[in-house]
Amino acid sequence: MKALVTSSCASSSLEKGLITWSWSRTTRKEKKKILKLIETFSGIGAQAQAMKNIHADFQTVVTADWEIGAIYAYDIIHNGKQDLSPYRHHTKESLIKQLSRFTLSSDGKTPMTEKGLGAMTTVQLKRILAAINRTNNLVDITKVHATDLPDGDILTYSFPCQDLSIAGNWYHNEGGIDRNAHNRSTLLWQIDRLLNEYEECDKDMPRFLLMENVSEILSKKNIKNFHEWCSILNSMGYENQVYTLDARNFGVPQTRVRTYMLSVLADTPKRQTMVRDYFFGNNLEMVKLPDEAVRTLENYLKLDYSNEDYYEEAVTSTPNFTESRRKIYLNNDKLAIDDRIVGRFAKTITTKQDRNPNSGIVAYEKNPLVSWNHHYRNLTPRECFLLMGFDEEQFDALKDNNFSVRSNKNMLSNAKMIKLAGNSIVVQVLEAIFNQVVEIDQMMG
């Protein structure tokens, strides 16, 4: 995707009729009462979920994500069942016309064509458009301008990791976050563009920025570009605190290590000192839970197959036992055997479970569930969502609203739901960081 080159204060995409809603400019006094959240690269809304869980007074005012599965899942998780009555007069042609104004993607990698939209059912198109509107989704970060955005206190940006991660090297994605790499991870610099537009338009900057990505962002290959980004934020008045955090230290039995950067706008020497002192005394990297303090996998693996949903999900997550899957069975951690937990931690939840290596398997010993594989099953989408910090009620809402688009095909396949979980952020880690945001906000007054 190539950034749209326009004046930073040009008329917004909202004014061009892509999407419409309204907001009112708030006073600083009102800002203290409600933290306004702008979620770019929003995924399924782990950031919003964390704010809900800590009972913060907040409102998500804008999201931005172009992947239709994430757009739909975010809407259901955070807004509940859709009402499609406002779209009853739409034809398939009018829906395609509306949606073709956005740069949407079905796989999170490449843009959809109008032909691709035309292959979808009318109901599917209605639900995607409803989800965009209900989540105030600006979709394509490269086409978002500062003038499109309402006032916000917190801006989050969990940009794509594919070209940073070790796995990216397997596919010769070696550019990292270099500005000239023209890959998905360089979408980081769209945030740089947006913040420059805030300054050019004399618009109040977000008081907090939160980055999340794989820890390889601090690797030898990427550190120079990351330091450049930190220096840019410093020049804009932000104090940066970088954390590399393991989900296990926040009570979740998943060995998921990610790097976060919380940036706080400190516009006076006094505020700079306050922020630096706060982080010195409240370093989340110092949080080290003993293994016994972490919740056990019993809270996450659903092994009671008398429950019809758990049984069906387990069966669906049991692949045919081929030679390549024999390697998966032999090489990956056994988290449970039949209905007995034997593992302590799952490995990182990734975008695929039917792979080697994966997050761990549930082995069959005495009670195989299916005839085509007597050895093991993969983690189910439900288990992956739980290990990322979402609860069963939210997963059930997503499952109950996972409508059929054609015979034997739902809006969100099992593989798609696992991908959505793997691309998300562990909610409990975000809770700790957002608690710091609330404390700093109160401290700075």
Side-chain angles (χ1 to χ4, degrees):
M1 292 181 293
K2 187 176 181 181
L4 188 67
V5 180
T6 69
S7 166
S8 60
C9 295
S11 62
S12 74
S13 60
L14 301 180
E15 296 169 345
K16 297 174 185 175
L18 298 190
I19 188 170
T20 57
W21 67 90
S22 63
W23 55 75
S24 59
R25 191 173 182 83
T26 59
T27 66
R28 288 200 174 273
K29 184 175 181 181
E30 288 171 328
K31 281 184 178 179
K32 292 178 185 177
K33 295 178 181 176
I34 299 179
L35 289 167
K36 298 193 179 234
L37 178 61
I38 297 171
E39 291 178 88
T40 67
F41 311 99
S42 45
I44 57 176
Q47 298 90 339
Q49 189 58 48
M51 292 289 275
K52 291 177 186 176
N53 289 358
I54 66 171
H55 306 292
D57 291 326
F58 88 104
Q59 176 189 6
T60 298
V61 291
V62 158
T63 67
D65 204 300
W66 73 327
E67 203 274 302
I68 59 173
I71 293 170
Y72 183 70
Y74 185 112
D75 185 35
I76 297 301
I77 288 171
H78 298 285
N79 297 319
K81 186 176 181 179
Q82 293 179 332
D83 174 11
L84 295 184
S85 61
Y87 304 91
R88 62 187 178 278
H89 298 304
H90 270 289
T91 64
K92 186 170 185 177
E93 289 71 27
S94 67
L95 290 163
I96 292 173
K97 184 177 180 180
Q98 287 284 323
L99 289 170
S100 63
R101 296 176 179 177
F102 302 104
T103 305
L104 292 163
S105 176
S106 61
D107 61 5
K109 299 176 183 178
T110 56
M112 290 187 70
T113 62
E114 190 169 316
K115 182 179 179 180
L117 289 171
M120 295 183 175
T121 66
T122 301
V123 172
Q124 195 173 6
L125 296 171
K126 285 182 179 181
R127 290 190 181 278
I128 294 167
L129 184 58
I132 289 171
N133 287 326
R134 293 211 307 170
T135 59
N136 294 348
N137 194 329
L138 296 179
V139 184
D140 183 357
I141 191 67
T142 70
K143 296 179 181 177
V144 175
H145 293 282
T147 49
D148 296 333
L149 299 173
D151 289 347
D153 299 292
I154 309 168
L155 186 149
T156 64
Y157 58 109
S158 179
F159 57 97
C161 69
Q162 291 93 334
D163 303 292
L164 290 172
S165 65
I166 294 172
N169 293 329
W170 300 344
Y171 302 99
H172 306 291
N173 299 334
E174 298 175 353
I177 50 172
D178 187 275
R179 284 180 183 270
N180 299 315
H182 303 299
N183 58 38
R184 285 167 289 174
S185 293
T186 55
L187 288 172
L188 162 67
W189 301 106
Q190 295 298 322
I191 304 302
D192 177 35
R193 174 184 61 80
L194 275 174
L195 293 177
N196 279 306
E197 290 182 7
Y198 271 92
E199 289 190 323
E200 291 172 16
C201 296
D202 196 27
K203 184 180 176 76
D204 287 345
M205 306 272 276
R207 294 183 293 122
F208 300 91
L209 308 174
L210 177 58
M211 181 205 81
E212 179 271 349
N213 216 291
V214 293
S215 56
E216 282 80 10
I217 198 169
L218 304 180
S219 69
K220 183 178 179 180
K221 180 181 77 172
N222 299 309
I223 194 65
K224 181 179 178 181
N225 290 303
F226 181 69
H227 283 162
E228 178 190 353
W229 174 231
C230 293
S231 296
I232 288 169
L233 293 176
N234 286 151
S235 71
M236 293 179 174
Y238 287 98
E239 290 291 320
N240 302 315
Q241 176 66 30
V242 179
Y243 293 130
T244 296
L245 305 174
D246 188 332
R248 290 178 297 177
N249 286 322
F250 298 86
V252 180
Q254 180 194 165
T255 55
R256 189 184 189 90
V257 177
R258 292 294 184 266
T259 293
Y260 305 79
M261 180 165 68
L262 179 57
S263 304
V264 183
L265 192 60
D267 52 5
T268 67
K270 180 180 179 181
R271 286 175 178 260
Q272 291 171 358
T273 300
M274 289 171 63
V275 173
R276 291 170 188 170
D277 288 348
Y278 176 87
F279 284 129
F280 181 79
N282 298 274
N283 189 336
L284 290 177
E285 288 190 352
M286 302 303 291
V287 176
K288 304 290 184 185
L289 287 185
D291 285 355
E292 58 270 20
V294 181
R295 296 184 75 189
T296 70
L297 285 168
E298 185 177 1
N299 301 108
Y300 298 86
L301 301 186
K302 299 304 168 183
L303 307 177
D304 177 9
Y305 301 130
S306 65
N307 180 304
E308 291 184 7
D309 286 335
Y310 300 165
Y311 174 79
E312 174 196 346
E313 291 160 11
V315 167
T316 305
S317 298
T318 307
N320 288 322
F321 194 69
T322 61
E323 191 57 38
S324 63
R325 289 177 177 131
R326 181 183 297 277
K327 294 178 181 178
I328 294 175
Y329 173 66
L330 295 174
N331 295 341
N332 288 277
D333 291 349
K334 293 178 176 62
L335 305 179
I337 298 174
D338 293 328
D339 60 354
R340 177 169 50 92
I341 301 291
V342 296
R344 193 71 186 84
F345 307 113
K347 292 184 178 177
T348 301
I349 300 299
T350 62
T351 55
K352 291 182 181 179
Q353 289 303 308
D354 191 20
R355 55 170 286 182
N356 186 25
N358 66 17
S359 306
I361 61 173
V362 174
Y364 300 141
E365 189 172 89
K366 298 178 180 179
N367 300 305
L369 299 184
V370 296
S371 60
W372 57 84
N373 186 338
H374 289 183
H375 298 278
Y376 79 98
R377 70 166 175 85
N378 295 313
L379 294 184
T380 67
R382 180 187 299 271
E383 290 163 341
C384 292
F385 266 71
L386 293 177
L387 283 162
M388 294 304 296
F390 292 88
D391 61 34
E392 288 203 73
E393 184 178 352
Q394 292 164 325
F395 182 81
D396 284 333
L398 197 56
K399 186 174 179 179
D400 291 345
N401 289 278
N402 191 13
F403 62 97
S404 175
V405 295
R406 56 180 57 89
S407 178
N408 297 321
K409 183 176 181 181
N410 288 340
M411 174 68 178
L412 300 173
S413 66
N414 277 3
K416 174 68 74 175
M417 286 196 283
I418 286 172
K419 182 178 179 180
L420 293 176
N423 278 332
S424 190
I425 310 170
V426 175
V427 173
Q428 288 86 344
V429 181
L430 289 173
E431 290 172 17
I433 296 172
F434 281 129
N435 271 321
Q436 292 198 326
V437 169
V438 171
E439 289 174 0
I440 293 170
D441 182 55
Q442 293 171 347
M443 176 184 73
M444 296 180 72

